[in-house]
Amino acid sequence: MTDQPIRHILSLSGGKDSTALAILMRDRIPEMEYIFCDTEQELPETYEYLDRLEVYLGKKIEKLTYEGGGFEELLQARRGFLPSAQARWCTELLKIKPFEKYVGDDICYSYIGIRADEQHRKGYISTKPNIIAQYPFIEAEINKPDVFRMLEESGLGIPKYYEWRSRSGCYFCFFQQRVEWVGLLENHPDLYEKAKKFEKENSETGERYTWAARESLNELQVPSRVATIKEEHLHRQEMLNARFKGNQTLNQVFNDDDSADEGCLICHL
Ligand code: SF4
């Protein structure tokens, strides 16, 4: 046993689950430290939501950044090789490293917003032995409808980007679905243009670095392609509606797609 005091840290992503967890923990652990690993490539809605959460918590949310450079510098050092689900250097450098540096060698409980209905996502991304993961939602059997209810009751509601996107994280996140790229195009055309500039194509070798598989953002924004993407999305939603026969709660549970793949725990919870 050690006499070293244990720190309590809750890492926010700007998403619904970590926000609901902060709401739950505010009065339970007054000494909680709230942090946000800022890639500096987040959506404006995320920063706005975190500002409102800060007011609700009555406590500052520490914004942590990677000291080894910003996204563009890191991308340049990788000769334009975009991060992807297979090469997720962005998460490692811009999210995990700043978090681990902040904790240092202190023993800390790290509170993670994995819900009772998604226990398969359990598994923390830090391998440091002094960082001990805690899962209060699982212990309290809190599931997705509870999270929506907590957000509603707190007055914070859900982040505004949920109108067109199902996850928090960088505006160019490669985990987003094609319909979410369309959402970015329509809601933040400036950020869509920025994301496009990171894509590269070598006309001689035919080699392409694109955010979405097999499709560049230039190709995706063609009006006929946008229409197809929207139609396919609508069709999928109609199928879900029919499956749950208008049960909005169940529909909400299954329709925001955060169970579709692992995504990135530290970015998307
Ligand atoms: S949100 Fe996506 S792009 Fe941003 S750090 Fe996480 S995985 Fe990478």
Side-chain angles (χ1 to χ4, degrees), residues 44-85:
E45 292 95 321
T46 301
Y47 295 112
E48 183 266 341
Y49 194 55
L50 288 170
D51 286 349
R52 291 200 291 121
L53 177 60
E54 215 166 44
V55 174
Y56 178 88
L57 296 171
K59 214 168 188 181
K60 191 169 163 40
I61 298 169
E62 285 298 330
K63 307 244 172 37
L64 312 177
T65 53
Y66 179 55
E67 286 178 1
F71 176 79
E72 294 186 34
E73 253 176 290
L74 295 169
L75 184 66
Q76 222 170 21
R78 281 157 188 76
R79 292 195 273 158
F81 192 80
L82 293 176
S84 65

Short mmCIF file of all heavy atoms in Angstrom, two decimals, residues 44-85:
data_model
loop_
_atom_site.label_atom_id
_atom_site.label_comp_id
_atom_site.label_asym_id
_atom_site.label_seq_id
_atom_site.Cartn_x
_atom_site.Cartn_y
_atom_site.Cartn_z
N PRO A 44 -16.66 23.38 -33.68
CA PRO A 44 -17.00 24.52 -32.81
C PRO A 44 -18.10 24.16 -31.81
O PRO A 44 -18.09 24.65 -30.68
CB PRO A 44 -17.51 25.59 -33.79
CG PRO A 44 -17.32 25.07 -35.16
CD PRO A 44 -16.78 23.69 -35.11
N GLU A 45 -19.02 23.28 -32.22
CA GLU A 45 -20.10 22.86 -31.31
C GLU A 45 -19.53 22.17 -30.06
O GLU A 45 -20.11 22.25 -28.97
CB GLU A 45 -21.04 21.86 -31.98
CG GLU A 45 -21.87 22.42 -33.12
CD GLU A 45 -21.23 22.18 -34.48
OE1 GLU A 45 -19.98 22.31 -34.58
OE2 GLU A 45 -21.96 21.90 -35.43
N THR A 46 -18.42 21.47 -30.21
CA THR A 46 -17.81 20.75 -29.08
C THR A 46 -17.29 21.76 -28.05
O THR A 46 -17.53 21.61 -26.85
CB THR A 46 -16.66 19.86 -29.58
OG1 THR A 46 -17.20 18.93 -30.52
CG2 THR A 46 -15.99 19.10 -28.45
N TYR A 47 -16.59 22.77 -28.54
CA TYR A 47 -16.05 23.77 -27.61
C TYR A 47 -17.18 24.50 -26.89
O TYR A 47 -17.10 24.78 -25.69
CB TYR A 47 -15.15 24.77 -28.36
CG TYR A 47 -13.90 24.13 -28.94
CD1 TYR A 47 -13.73 24.01 -30.31
CD2 TYR A 47 -12.90 23.62 -28.11
CE1 TYR A 47 -12.58 23.43 -30.85
CE2 TYR A 47 -11.76 23.02 -28.64
CZ TYR A 47 -11.61 22.92 -30.00
OH TYR A 47 -10.48 22.33 -30.54
N GLU A 48 -18.24 24.77 -27.64
CA GLU A 48 -19.38 25.50 -27.06
C GLU A 48 -20.04 24.63 -25.98
O GLU A 48 -20.39 25.11 -24.90
CB GLU A 48 -20.35 25.84 -28.20
CG GLU A 48 -21.57 26.66 -27.82
CD GLU A 48 -22.80 25.80 -27.52
OE1 GLU A 48 -22.86 24.62 -27.93
OE2 GLU A 48 -23.69 26.31 -26.84
N TYR A 49 -20.16 23.34 -26.25
CA TYR A 49 -20.78 22.40 -25.31
C TYR A 49 -19.94 22.28 -24.04
O TYR A 49 -20.45 22.28 -22.92
CB TYR A 49 -20.91 21.04 -26.01
CG TYR A 49 -21.83 20.05 -25.33
CD1 TYR A 49 -23.15 20.36 -25.04
CD2 TYR A 49 -21.37 18.77 -25.03
CE1 TYR A 49 -24.00 19.42 -24.45
CE2 TYR A 49 -22.22 17.82 -24.44
CZ TYR A 49 -23.53 18.16 -24.16
OH TYR A 49 -24.36 17.23 -23.58
N LEU A 50 -18.63 22.22 -24.23
CA LEU A 50 -17.72 22.11 -23.07
C LEU A 50 -17.79 23.38 -22.21
O LEU A 50 -17.72 23.30 -20.98
CB LEU A 50 -16.29 21.84 -23.53
CG LEU A 50 -16.03 20.44 -24.08
CD1 LEU A 50 -14.65 20.37 -24.72
CD2 LEU A 50 -16.14 19.37 -22.99
N ASP A 51 -17.95 24.52 -22.87
CA ASP A 51 -18.07 25.78 -22.11
C ASP A 51 -19.30 25.73 -21.22
O ASP A 51 -19.28 26.14 -20.06
CB ASP A 51 -18.21 26.98 -23.07
CG ASP A 51 -16.88 27.33 -23.73
OD1 ASP A 51 -15.84 26.79 -23.28
OD2 ASP A 51 -16.88 28.11 -24.70
N ARG A 52 -20.40 25.20 -21.78
CA ARG A 52 -21.63 25.13 -20.99
C ARG A 52 -21.50 24.11 -19.86
O ARG A 52 -21.99 24.31 -18.76
CB ARG A 52 -22.83 24.80 -21.89
CG ARG A 52 -23.16 25.97 -22.83
CD ARG A 52 -24.56 25.91 -23.37
NE ARG A 52 -24.74 24.82 -24.30
CZ ARG A 52 -25.64 23.84 -24.13
NH1 ARG A 52 -26.41 23.83 -23.06
NH2 ARG A 52 -25.76 22.88 -25.02
N LEU A 53 -20.79 23.03 -20.15
CA LEU A 53 -20.59 22.00 -19.12
C LEU A 53 -19.76 22.57 -17.97
O LEU A 53 -20.02 22.29 -16.79
CB LEU A 53 -19.90 20.77 -19.73
CG LEU A 53 -19.56 19.64 -18.76
CD1 LEU A 53 -20.81 19.08 -18.08
CD2 LEU A 53 -18.82 18.50 -19.47
N GLU A 54 -18.77 23.36 -18.33
CA GLU A 54 -17.92 23.99 -17.32
C GLU A 54 -18.76 24.81 -16.33
O GLU A 54 -18.57 24.74 -15.12
CB GLU A 54 -16.91 24.91 -18.03
CG GLU A 54 -15.56 24.97 -17.38
CD GLU A 54 -14.53 25.60 -18.28
OE1 GLU A 54 -14.81 26.64 -18.91
OE2 GLU A 54 -13.40 25.07 -18.34
N VAL A 55 -19.72 25.53 -16.88
CA VAL A 55 -20.61 26.33 -16.03
C VAL A 55 -21.43 25.40 -15.12
O VAL A 55 -21.55 25.62 -13.92
CB VAL A 55 -21.55 27.22 -16.90
CG1 VAL A 55 -22.58 27.94 -16.03
CG2 VAL A 55 -20.73 28.22 -17.71
N TYR A 56 -21.95 24.33 -15.71
CA TYR A 56 -22.76 23.38 -14.93
C TYR A 56 -21.93 22.77 -13.79
O TYR A 56 -22.40 22.63 -12.66
CB TYR A 56 -23.29 22.27 -15.85
CG TYR A 56 -24.09 21.23 -15.11
CD1 TYR A 56 -25.46 21.40 -14.91
CD2 TYR A 56 -23.47 20.09 -14.59
CE1 TYR A 56 -26.19 20.44 -14.21
CE2 TYR A 56 -24.20 19.14 -13.88
CZ TYR A 56 -25.56 19.33 -13.69
OH TYR A 56 -26.27 18.39 -12.98
N LEU A 57 -20.68 22.41 -14.11
CA LEU A 57 -19.84 21.75 -13.10
C LEU A 57 -19.32 22.75 -12.06
O LEU A 57 -18.95 22.38 -10.95
CB LEU A 57 -18.64 21.07 -13.76
CG LEU A 57 -18.96 19.90 -14.71
CD1 LEU A 57 -17.71 19.46 -15.45
CD2 LEU A 57 -19.57 18.72 -13.94
N GLY A 58 -19.28 24.01 -12.47
CA GLY A 58 -18.72 25.04 -11.58
C GLY A 58 -17.23 24.82 -11.39
O GLY A 58 -16.65 25.18 -10.36
N LYS A 59 -16.61 24.24 -12.39
CA LYS A 59 -15.20 23.88 -12.29
C LYS A 59 -14.55 23.98 -13.66
O LYS A 59 -15.20 23.69 -14.67
CB LYS A 59 -15.12 22.43 -11.80
CG LYS A 59 -13.96 22.16 -10.92
CD LYS A 59 -14.13 20.81 -10.27
CE LYS A 59 -13.04 20.64 -9.23
NZ LYS A 59 -13.12 19.36 -8.59
N LYS A 60 -13.29 24.34 -13.67
CA LYS A 60 -12.59 24.48 -14.95
C LYS A 60 -12.31 23.10 -15.57
O LYS A 60 -11.96 22.15 -14.88
CB LYS A 60 -11.25 25.20 -14.70
CG LYS A 60 -10.58 25.63 -15.97
CD LYS A 60 -9.42 26.56 -15.64
CE LYS A 60 -8.45 26.72 -16.79
NZ LYS A 60 -9.02 26.82 -18.11
N ILE A 61 -12.48 23.02 -16.87
CA ILE A 61 -12.08 21.81 -17.60
C ILE A 61 -10.71 22.10 -18.19
O ILE A 61 -10.56 23.02 -19.00
CB ILE A 61 -13.10 21.48 -18.72
CG1 ILE A 61 -14.49 21.20 -18.13
CG2 ILE A 61 -12.61 20.31 -19.57
CD1 ILE A 61 -15.62 21.13 -19.16
N GLU A 62 -9.71 21.35 -17.75
CA GLU A 62 -8.34 21.57 -18.25
C GLU A 62 -8.24 21.12 -19.70
O GLU A 62 -8.56 19.98 -20.01
CB GLU A 62 -7.33 20.75 -17.43
CG GLU A 62 -7.03 21.27 -16.07
CD GLU A 62 -6.39 22.66 -16.07
OE1 GLU A 62 -5.67 23.02 -17.04
OE2 GLU A 62 -6.63 23.40 -15.10
N LYS A 63 -7.78 22.01 -20.57
CA LYS A 63 -7.61 21.63 -21.98
C LYS A 63 -6.14 21.24 -22.19
O LYS A 63 -5.24 22.05 -21.98
CB LYS A 63 -7.98 22.78 -22.89
CG LYS A 63 -9.38 23.35 -22.60
CD LYS A 63 -10.31 23.15 -23.76
CE LYS A 63 -11.74 23.50 -23.50
NZ LYS A 63 -12.13 24.61 -22.69
N LEU A 64 -5.93 20.00 -22.58
CA LEU A 64 -4.56 19.50 -22.74
C LEU A 64 -4.23 19.34 -24.21
O LEU A 64 -5.04 18.83 -24.99
CB LEU A 64 -4.41 18.13 -22.05
CG LEU A 64 -4.95 17.99 -20.63
CD1 LEU A 64 -4.76 16.55 -20.15
CD2 LEU A 64 -4.24 18.95 -19.68
N THR A 65 -3.05 19.76 -24.59
CA THR A 65 -2.63 19.57 -25.98
C THR A 65 -1.29 18.82 -26.01
O THR A 65 -0.57 18.78 -25.01
CB THR A 65 -2.46 20.91 -26.72
OG1 THR A 65 -1.61 21.74 -25.93
CG2 THR A 65 -3.78 21.61 -26.95
N TYR A 66 -0.98 18.27 -27.16
CA TYR A 66 0.27 17.52 -27.31
C TYR A 66 1.42 18.50 -27.50
O TYR A 66 1.34 19.41 -28.32
CB TYR A 66 0.13 16.60 -28.53
CG TYR A 66 1.36 15.77 -28.83
CD1 TYR A 66 1.90 14.93 -27.86
CD2 TYR A 66 1.96 15.81 -30.08
CE1 TYR A 66 3.01 14.16 -28.13
CE2 TYR A 66 3.08 15.03 -30.37
CZ TYR A 66 3.60 14.22 -29.39
OH TYR A 66 4.70 13.45 -29.65
N GLU A 67 2.49 18.29 -26.75
CA GLU A 67 3.59 19.24 -26.81
C GLU A 67 4.49 19.04 -28.02
O GLU A 67 5.29 19.89 -28.36
CB GLU A 67 4.41 19.17 -25.51
CG GLU A 67 3.65 19.83 -24.37
CD GLU A 67 4.38 19.74 -23.05
OE1 GLU A 67 5.48 19.18 -23.00
OE2 GLU A 67 3.81 20.23 -22.05
N GLY A 68 4.36 17.89 -28.67
CA GLY A 68 5.23 17.59 -29.81
C GLY A 68 4.75 18.16 -31.13
O GLY A 68 5.26 17.78 -32.18
N GLY A 69 3.74 19.04 -31.10
CA GLY A 69 3.27 19.67 -32.33
C GLY A 69 1.80 19.43 -32.57
O GLY A 69 1.20 18.52 -31.98
N GLY A 70 1.22 20.24 -33.45
CA GLY A 70 -0.19 20.11 -33.77
C GLY A 70 -0.42 19.11 -34.89
O GLY A 70 0.55 18.56 -35.45
N PHE A 71 -1.67 18.89 -35.24
CA PHE A 71 -2.00 17.88 -36.25
C PHE A 71 -1.26 18.10 -37.57
O PHE A 71 -0.69 17.18 -38.14
CB PHE A 71 -3.53 17.85 -36.49
CG PHE A 71 -3.91 16.89 -37.57
CD1 PHE A 71 -3.97 15.53 -37.32
CD2 PHE A 71 -4.16 17.34 -38.87
CE1 PHE A 71 -4.29 14.63 -38.34
CE2 PHE A 71 -4.47 16.45 -39.89
CZ PHE A 71 -4.54 15.10 -39.62
N GLU A 72 -1.26 19.36 -38.04
CA GLU A 72 -0.68 19.61 -39.36
C GLU A 72 0.82 19.32 -39.38
O GLU A 72 1.35 18.75 -40.33
CB GLU A 72 -0.98 21.03 -39.80
CG GLU A 72 -2.47 21.20 -40.03
CD GLU A 72 -2.88 22.53 -40.61
OE1 GLU A 72 -2.12 23.08 -41.41
OE2 GLU A 72 -3.98 23.00 -40.25
N GLU A 73 1.47 19.70 -38.32
CA GLU A 73 2.92 19.43 -38.22
C GLU A 73 3.19 17.92 -38.21
O GLU A 73 4.10 17.42 -38.86
CB GLU A 73 3.40 19.96 -36.87
CG GLU A 73 4.24 21.21 -36.95
CD GLU A 73 4.55 21.66 -35.55
OE1 GLU A 73 3.60 22.10 -34.87
OE2 GLU A 73 5.73 21.56 -35.14
N LEU A 74 2.37 17.22 -37.44
CA LEU A 74 2.54 15.76 -37.32
C LEU A 74 2.26 15.07 -38.65
O LEU A 74 2.94 14.12 -39.02
CB LEU A 74 1.60 15.20 -36.23
CG LEU A 74 1.90 15.67 -34.80
CD1 LEU A 74 0.78 15.29 -33.86
CD2 LEU A 74 3.23 15.08 -34.30
N LEU A 75 1.29 15.61 -39.36
CA LEU A 75 0.95 15.03 -40.66
C LEU A 75 2.11 15.23 -41.65
O LEU A 75 2.47 14.33 -42.41
CB LEU A 75 -0.33 15.68 -41.20
CG LEU A 75 -0.88 15.12 -42.50
CD1 LEU A 75 -1.35 13.67 -42.31
CD2 LEU A 75 -2.06 15.96 -43.01
N GLN A 76 2.67 16.42 -41.58
CA GLN A 76 3.80 16.73 -42.47
C GLN A 76 4.97 15.79 -42.19
O GLN A 76 5.60 15.28 -43.11
CB GLN A 76 4.23 18.16 -42.20
CG GLN A 76 4.53 18.91 -43.47
CD GLN A 76 4.74 20.39 -43.19
OE1 GLN A 76 5.03 20.77 -42.05
NE2 GLN A 76 4.60 21.19 -44.20
N ALA A 77 5.22 15.57 -40.89
CA ALA A 77 6.32 14.68 -40.50
C ALA A 77 6.07 13.24 -41.00
O ALA A 77 7.01 12.47 -41.15
CB ALA A 77 6.48 14.68 -38.98
N ARG A 78 4.80 12.91 -41.28
CA ARG A 78 4.46 11.58 -41.82
C ARG A 78 4.22 11.64 -43.31
O ARG A 78 3.53 10.82 -43.88
CB ARG A 78 3.21 11.04 -41.09
CG ARG A 78 3.57 10.50 -39.74
CD ARG A 78 2.42 10.46 -38.77
NE ARG A 78 2.96 10.09 -37.46
CZ ARG A 78 3.64 10.91 -36.67
NH1 ARG A 78 3.87 12.16 -37.03
NH2 ARG A 78 4.14 10.48 -35.52
N ARG A 79 4.77 12.64 -43.93
CA ARG A 79 4.68 12.86 -45.38
C ARG A 79 3.25 12.73 -45.92
O ARG A 79 2.98 12.10 -46.93
CB ARG A 79 5.64 11.93 -46.12
CG ARG A 79 7.09 12.34 -45.82
CD ARG A 79 8.06 11.75 -46.75
NE ARG A 79 8.45 10.44 -46.26
CZ ARG A 79 8.96 9.47 -46.99
NH1 ARG A 79 9.10 9.63 -48.27
NH2 ARG A 79 9.33 8.34 -46.45
N GLY A 80 2.32 13.31 -45.15
CA GLY A 80 0.94 13.38 -45.61
C GLY A 80 0.14 12.10 -45.43
O GLY A 80 -0.99 12.00 -45.90
N PHE A 81 0.72 11.12 -44.76
CA PHE A 81 0.05 9.83 -44.54
C PHE A 81 -1.07 10.03 -43.51
O PHE A 81 -0.79 10.16 -42.31
CB PHE A 81 1.08 8.81 -44.06
CG PHE A 81 0.58 7.40 -44.08
CD1 PHE A 81 0.54 6.68 -45.26
CD2 PHE A 81 0.16 6.80 -42.91
CE1 PHE A 81 0.06 5.37 -45.27
CE2 PHE A 81 -0.32 5.49 -42.91
CZ PHE A 81 -0.37 4.78 -44.10
N LEU A 82 -2.30 10.07 -43.97
CA LEU A 82 -3.42 10.37 -43.07
C LEU A 82 -3.61 9.28 -42.02
O LEU A 82 -3.42 8.10 -42.31
CB LEU A 82 -4.72 10.50 -43.87
CG LEU A 82 -4.85 11.67 -44.85
CD1 LEU A 82 -6.16 11.57 -45.61
CD2 LEU A 82 -4.77 13.00 -44.12
N PRO A 83 -4.04 9.68 -40.82
CA PRO A 83 -4.35 8.63 -39.84
C PRO A 83 -5.59 7.85 -40.31
O PRO A 83 -6.40 8.36 -41.09
CB PRO A 83 -4.67 9.42 -38.56
CG PRO A 83 -5.07 10.77 -39.03
CD PRO A 83 -4.34 11.03 -40.31
N SER A 84 -5.73 6.65 -39.84
CA SER A 84 -6.87 5.82 -40.23
C SER A 84 -7.16 4.86 -39.07
O SER A 84 -6.41 4.83 -38.08
CB SER A 84 -6.52 5.01 -41.48
OG SER A 84 -5.48 4.10 -41.16
N ALA A 85 -8.19 4.05 -39.22
CA ALA A 85 -8.52 3.08 -38.17
C ALA A 85 -7.35 2.12 -37.94
O ALA A 85 -7.14 1.63 -36.83
CB ALA A 85 -9.78 2.32 -38.54
#
